[in-house]
Amino acid sequence: MDAYIVIAVLILMIAAFVANKWPFGLITMTCCIILGVVGVLDVPTAFSGFCNPFVVMLAGAFVVTNALARTSFIGRLQKNLMKMQDGKSGIKLMLIFVIAIIVLATFMPGPALLAIIIMMARNLNDEGEVNAARVILPAAALTTLWNGRIPFGIGAGQFAILDGFLESAGEQYSIGMFDPMLAGLVPGILLAIYTISCYKLLPHKKLDTIAVETNEDRNKEQPKMSKRNEIITYVTFVVMLLLMIFNQFTGNLLYIGPAVCAVFLVFTKVITVEDVKKGITVDLIFMLAGIFTLTSALSSTGAGEIIGHTIISLFGGNMTQFSLVAIFSGIAVVVTNFMSNNATMYSLIPVAVTTALAAGLNPVPAVLAIDVAVKCACALPCSSGEAAMCYGASGYTIKDTWKFTIPANILFYVGTLAGVYLFF
């Protein structure tokens, strides 16, 4: 009976994600409360996700990377990229923007990155072959894929999120720090080449006004860091990064290290307690804690095994490693264009893991494929926050963009399969 209750709660969570009317953290915490109230889980177990070492690690990492975003490094990088635009045209100019997105995506969250790209694009001549609209729309897909993909800056803890889903699968299954980058390398390169060479598939649309908060506006609200504070921030960030890179040797410091670094920045007066509160993405922390609890419940109650065997039976009982990856990444590419990419990922990964284990297969390739495939979120404005931002800023309608976005989705899917097959 408990297994079917957990399945019902999982369906409820997915439906709430699709509706997109409530914060994701509220949804997952509600699921935990339901499991506690009906007695499927006791109270300590229902909220055990908050004690998950990956949640502790990410909370500290958010604070440190938020401090890094306030340094002059990002400002100088932005100015240098803007200077590179002078005298460039066509494919070379698109190449500059693609490189800018990939580089900035390592250090900045998606919306802030796009604010910079949109501001840069507004300086382009609307009469030129490459104008603002043709730059802004492709930026949505590139940003969602490359944001946090390289395991530095904000991407330093991405592997830990994915690894958390495998905790209940056993110690033999784990995801390394560079695995998400390797899985996304082939589709990332293909999407970059496609953007550079096929931007003309988008209509040449002139823009009157782009109402978006720019990075310059954001910087006006925050005081500049002193040289002393910047040096401390750089050193602290490097230390945190090294703890993550050498996680096989650092042991529990992988999880505690970011928190230590965050506390160190407070005691050295580089940041304040208020900065810590702002640096921690509270909804994401609650969402992950809830998801990890539900993932454990799927395993402990046998619900995951029921789901896995059901999916296997739908395909005649002959599930192979490749078909597992192909099916779940295909579902991810389609579904992510109708609901949040994070919601799609957190809904599909637990199901993929339980299906793989039921079939006696390695769940790691499927988890990595879903992580990459859900980032192909550009076909509709509702695909992601980045997509909504870029559709609004570019002035394009869905009818304007389908010649560009549909081939991009197909290419992305093929690239995901190739990347996962090649490296895993």
Side-chain angles (χ1 to χ4, degrees):
M1 183 64 182
D2 286 353
Y4 292 101
I5 293 175
V6 173
I7 292 173
V9 170
L10 175 65
I11 294 171
L12 176 66
M13 180 188 75
I14 294 173
F17 280 164
V18 174
N20 199 28
K21 292 183 178 180
W22 306 279
F24 292 159
L26 175 63
I27 294 171
T28 58
M29 282 296 101
T30 300
C31 292
C32 292
I33 291 171
I34 292 173
L35 293 176
V37 169
V38 300
V40 173
L41 302 176
D42 56 30
V43 175
T45 306
F47 298 99
S48 61
F50 288 105
C51 297
N52 188 292
F54 299 109
V55 173
V56 175
M57 185 198 75
L58 289 170
F62 285 145
V63 175
V64 178
T65 54
N66 190 58
L68 181 69
R70 291 175 51 192
T71 63
S72 61
F73 171 75
I74 296 298
R76 291 197 302 270
L77 183 62
Q78 176 189 345
K79 291 178 182 178
N80 290 334
L81 289 170
M82 291 183 70
K83 288 179 182 178
M84 291 173 63
Q85 296 177 38
D86 297 337
K88 306 294 181 182
S89 62
I91 291 177
K92 290 183 180 180
L93 188 54
M94 287 300 295
L95 177 61
I96 290 173
F97 275 99
V98 168
I99 293 174
I101 290 171
I102 294 173
V103 173
L104 292 176
T106 305
F107 302 98
M108 303 182 67
L113 187 162
L114 286 175
I116 291 177
I117 296 300
I118 291 171
M119 180 185 67
M120 293 167 64
R122 291 184 67 184
N123 295 320
L124 297 174
N125 184 355
D126 248 345
E127 301 297 330
E129 186 179 86
V130 176
N131 66 344
R134 280 178 163 174
V135 169
I136 293 170
L137 196 282
L142 286 168
T143 299
T144 52
L145 171 61
W146 283 103
N147 199 215
R149 182 63 51 187
I150 299 173
F152 302 101
I154 62 173
Q158 178 63 20
F159 80 100
I161 295 177
L162 301 178
D163 206 35
F165 287 103
L166 297 171
E167 192 174 17
S168 60
E171 295 182 357
Q172 69 270 35
Y173 301 116
S174 64
I175 291 175
M177 185 174 186
F178 292 92
D179 288 348
M181 182 187 73
L182 292 174
L185 197 58
V186 173
I189 292 173
L190 289 177
L191 186 63
I193 294 173
Y194 176 75
T195 299
I196 294 167
S197 58
C198 300
Y199 65 89
K200 290 183 181 179
L201 292 174
L202 291 167
H204 190 282
K205 191 179 186 71
K206 294 184 179 180
L207 303 182
D208 294 324
T209 304
I210 300 178
V212 65
E213 182 185 21
T214 66
N215 195 58
E216 185 178 349
D217 296 328
R218 295 173 186 266
N219 288 340
K220 289 179 181 178
E221 300 174 3
Q222 296 182 348
K224 291 183 179 180
M225 268 193 177
S226 67
K227 191 67 177 178
R228 166 194 175 271
N229 289 351
E230 284 197 348
I231 292 174
I232 294 175
T233 301
Y234 294 144
V235 172
T236 304
F237 173 74
V238 170
V239 170
M240 183 185 77
L241 200 60
L242 290 174
L243 291 174
M244 291 181 172
I245 292 174
F246 298 104
N247 60 85
Q248 292 182 334
F249 308 103
T250 55
N252 287 332
L253 283 177
L254 167 67
Y255 312 110
I256 303 173
V260 173
C261 292
V263 171
F264 176 74
L265 290 177
V266 174
F267 281 114
T268 54
K269 298 184 178 180
V270 174
I271 59 176
T272 65
V273 174
E274 287 300 315
D275 290 328
V276 173
K277 292 178 182 177
K278 293 176 183 178
I280 298 176
T281 310
V282 176
D283 187 62
L284 178 59
I285 296 298
F286 273 74
M287 178 177 66
L288 288 175
I291 287 289
F292 289 156
T293 296
L294 188 59
T295 300
S296 297
L298 284 169
S299 177
S300 62
T301 62
E305 189 174 349
I306 293 174
I307 294 172
H309 284 302
T310 301
I311 293 176
I312 292 171
S313 66
L314 293 175
F315 294 92
N318 297 318
M319 183 76 74
T320 65
Q321 192 73 62
F322 181 80
S323 63
L324 177 74
V325 172
I327 290 166
F328 277 99
S329 57
I331 293 172
V333 167
V334 174
V335 174
T336 194
N337 281 295
F338 294 92
M339 59 187 277
S340 160
N341 46 7
N342 281 335
T344 303
M345 182 174 75
Y346 296 136
S347 299
L348 289 179
I349 286 181
V351 179
V353 171
T354 54
T355 302
L357 295 176
L361 300 173
N362 184 355
V364 171
V367 171
L368 291 170
I370 292 171
D371 173 56
V372 175
V374 297
K375 302 305 191 299
C376 187
C378 63
L380 301 171
C382 62
S383 300
S384 64
E386 288 83 357
M389 189 174 178
C390 288
Y391 267 95
S394 66
Y396 282 132
T397 64
I398 297 174
K399 185 179 179 180
D400 292 330
T401 62
W402 68 268
K403 289 183 179 179
F404 180 88
T405 56
I406 291 179
N409 276 259
I410 295 173
L411 186 67
F412 202 101
Y413 174 63
V414 173
T416 299
L417 294 181
V420 172
Y421 179 79
L422 180 64
F423 292 106
F424 304 96

